[in-house]
Amino acid sequence: MSVYTIFYFPVRGRCSAVRMMLADQGQDWTDEVIKMEQWSEGTLKKSCIFGQLPKFQDGNFVLFQSNAILRHLARKHDLYGLDNKEAALLDMANDGVEDLRVKYAILIYKEYETGKEAFIKNIPAELKPFETMLAKNNGGKDFLVGNKISFADYNLVDMLSNLEVLSPGCLNVTPLLKAYVDRVLSRPKLKAYLESDAHKKLPINGNGKQ
Ligand code: 6SG
């Protein structure tokens, strides 16, 4: 039995970066898939501190909020920078990814028909801060911060992969980001996970839009 358990809907959504990180770090986990019928019944929702999934267990330790889960695992598996300043820069980057993820979720779940064109038009502006961060770190040849992968890299690469599905070729305007995404996605353990049925069978989002 694995020490880590993820309770989530049968989607990639807010657990994709967590799963990518665990897979790439050679960690095992159990997926407890929560179908809508079970969720609508209400008991599990009432037991979740914010009334939402994902729920995460590290042994008996229970945690909610996808970014808190990423950070907990980052502290445990040394994916949170080399010092306080690197950690702060990673927090900055990850908060930027969160802002983008919220806009993406609003598009997918609320405004897909009316807002898609404007969202796609604005992608280059959304990418620019991350391209700038990369450029400032060894000319973009490494990761967001330093020369070691971090929790924020998994979160950013997952988000950018979703944007590539929404608007194929959208990363072409930011060549450093594009090369970085390709580099991270070609890491052997991560690549094997992304090619697995466990990953491929899950839709990106819960409403079939992408
Ligand atoms: C939705 O928003 O999947 N959690 C979601 N929705 C159910 O009753 N800040 C936190 C975090 O970072 C945000 C949590 C997040 O962890 S994720 C949740 O719990 C609720 O509020 C996106 C997602 N949506 C799919 C979905 C869940 C319920 C209705 C739509 C799955 C798809 C259709 C049915 C089941 Fe469905």
Side-chain angles (χ1 to χ4, degrees):
M1 248 199 55
S2 36
V3 62
Y4 298 133
T5 307
I6 294 170
F7 300 75
Y8 196 46
F9 308 111
V11 302
R12 296 180 198 168
R14 284 191 166 274
C15 284
S16 199
V18 175
R19 292 181 178 124
M20 285 165 66
M21 179 155 102
L22 288 173
D24 194 47
Q25 295 297 317
Q27 298 295 310
D28 205 7
W29 75 91
T30 303
D31 277 307
E32 281 287 338
V33 179
I34 311 299
K35 301 239 175 75
M36 203 50 196
E37 308 85 69
Q38 185 186 347
W39 185 248
S40 316
E41 186 270 322
T43 312
L44 176 60
K45 184 173 172 75
K46 275 204 202 94
S47 77
C48 297
I49 186 157
F50 292 99
Q52 291 195 310
L53 295 178
K55 169 183 173 179
F56 185 78
Q57 276 187 216
D58 175 351
N60 294 324
F61 178 64
V62 180
L63 195 58
F64 295 92
Q65 292 289 358
S66 55
N67 287 293
I69 297 163
L70 280 174
R71 289 181 159 105
H72 172 64
L73 289 170
R75 288 184 199 99
K76 276 189 71 167
H77 295 285
D78 194 19
L79 302 164
Y80 216 137
L82 297 181
D83 56 28
N84 283 345
K85 284 184 179 153
E86 285 199 0
L89 290 173
L90 288 171
D91 281 341
M92 178 180 85
N94 199 68
D95 285 3
V97 177
E98 174 62 20
D99 288 349
L100 180 51
R101 193 177 289 281
V102 167
K103 290 178 202 170
Y104 172 79
I106 291 171
L107 172 74
I108 293 291
Y109 288 104
K110 297 196 171 133
E111 300 175 349
Y112 196 80
E113 283 70 28
T114 53
K116 189 174 169 184
E117 203 182 303
F119 184 96
I120 287 176
K121 219 170 161 187
N122 196 44
I123 288 178
E126 296 288 355
L127 299 181
K128 196 156 179 279
F130 302 109
E131 181 82 352
T132 301
M133 254 191 110
L134 271 188
K136 284 185 175 168
N137 181 27
N138 193 23
K141 290 191 191 70
D142 290 327
F143 299 99
L144 277 168
V145 174
N147 58 8
K148 191 175 178 314
I149 200 161
S150 75
F151 73 102
D153 291 300
Y154 295 110
N155 200 16
L156 177 58
V157 168
D158 171 57
M159 190 63 242
L160 298 180
S161 305
N162 292 350
L163 295 186
E164 265 288 341
V165 172
L166 178 75
S167 174
C170 70
L171 297 181
N172 294 344
V173 294
T174 45
L176 296 179
L177 264 184
K178 186 175 165 31
Y180 152 88
V181 168
D182 291 346
R183 209 159 59 238
V184 171
L185 293 180
S186 67
R187 290 165 68 89
K189 288 181 191 152
L190 179 53
K191 187 165 186 279
Y193 172 65
L194 296 174
E195 285 169 359
S196 71
D197 282 347
H199 171 79
K200 283 198 294 191
K201 72 176 184 205
L202 295 177
I204 298 176
N205 302 302
N207 61 356
K209 294 179 184 165
Q210 61 178 33

